[in-house]
Amino acid sequence: MIIQTNRLILRPFVKTDIEWYHDVAQHPDIKKWLCGLATSDKSINQEHVNIFSEGNDKDDFYYVITNKENEPLGFIIAIRISRYTVDVSYFLKEESRHQGYMHEALEALVPKMREKNYLYRFRMQIDIDNKVETVMMLLLSDDELKKY
C-alpha cells in the first residue's frame, strides 16, 4: 500500500533499496537511536532491507519516505510489539529534517495503523534534547491520536 500526502510518498521497502539504506545506515544518529537496524556491514543491512520489504505483508509497516520525485528522504517503521502496542522508529536524512516531514508521515500512517485495528498504545522513543521531535510528538498526540 502506498500512502501519499501533500509533499510525501510513503512506499513499502523493496530489496533494491539497499544502496540508499546502506548510506544512511552509516549516520551516527541512526546507530545511536536505532541500534541493530543499521550497521557498517552491507550484507547485514541487505538482510534488514529484505525483512523490511516483506514486513508489510504482515502486521507491521516498513515504509520508505520519499518526496514527490521519488527521492528517498528516510524511513519509518512501525512494529507491533504486543496486541495493541506499536513501536515506531524512523530516520530522516539530515537535509530533510526540521521541515515537518516526519509529522506529515506520522499523520498519514496513524490512520492506516487504526485500519488494521491494532493501535491502542503508541510508543515512540524520542530524543528529549530534540525540541522539534518532542513538539511533533505532542502535536501528533493532540491532533491525531485523540481522534481515536
Side-chain angles (χ1 to χ4, degrees):
M1 160 183 32
I2 293 175
I3 303 170
Q4 294 194 38
T5 70
N6 289 337
R7 302 180 297 162
L8 304 173
I9 298 171
L10 280 66
R11 65 163 176 79
F13 269 85
V14 292
K15 293 179 181 181
T16 55
D17 284 323
I18 183 58
E19 294 307 322
W20 75 264
Y21 181 80
H22 183 67
D23 286 344
V24 300
Q26 308 315 303
H27 195 284
D29 284 353
I30 199 169
K31 291 180 178 183
K32 176 181 174 184
W33 293 107
L34 304 177
C35 50
L37 286 181
T39 73
S40 53
D41 184 330
K42 192 171 185 176
S43 64
I44 293 174
N45 288 334
Q46 181 67 65
E47 289 176 31
H48 291 148
V49 169
N50 291 347
I51 291 167
F52 300 163
S53 68
E54 296 164 6
N56 289 319
D57 296 334
K58 301 180 176 94
D59 276 339
D60 300 324
F61 295 88
Y62 298 88
Y63 282 105
V64 175
I65 301 169
T66 72
N67 57 20
K68 293 295 184 176
E69 291 75 39
N70 205 29
E71 173 193 354
L73 306 176
F75 62 86
I76 186 167
I77 297 171
I79 300 172
R80 184 183 215 169
I81 58 170
S82 69
R83 185 167 180 214
Y84 293 112
T85 302
V86 176
D87 188 71
V88 177
S89 301
Y90 65 84
F91 182 80
L92 282 175
K93 292 180 179 179
E94 230 162 304
E95 62 271 16
S96 301
R97 296 177 188 174
H98 309 293
Q99 299 178 49
Y101 289 144
M102 193 50 63
H103 186 252
E104 191 172 324
L106 281 167
E107 277 186 323
L109 188 57
V110 166
K112 300 302 179 192
M113 289 189 279
R114 289 295 297 163
E115 285 174 15
K116 284 200 171 188
N117 199 28
Y118 72 53
L119 184 62
Y120 174 75
R121 190 173 296 121
F122 191 82
R123 186 172 92 172
M124 190 168 173
Q125 194 174 35
I126 62 172
D127 179 355
I128 201 69
D129 294 329
N130 183 337
K131 302 301 182 212
V132 172
E133 192 173 67
T134 304
V135 169
M136 177 196 69
M137 196 60 220
L138 293 172
L139 289 172
L140 182 67
S141 296
D142 289 343
D143 297 342
E144 279 302 310
L145 298 179
K146 288 183 180 176
K147 289 180 185 176
Y148 306 107

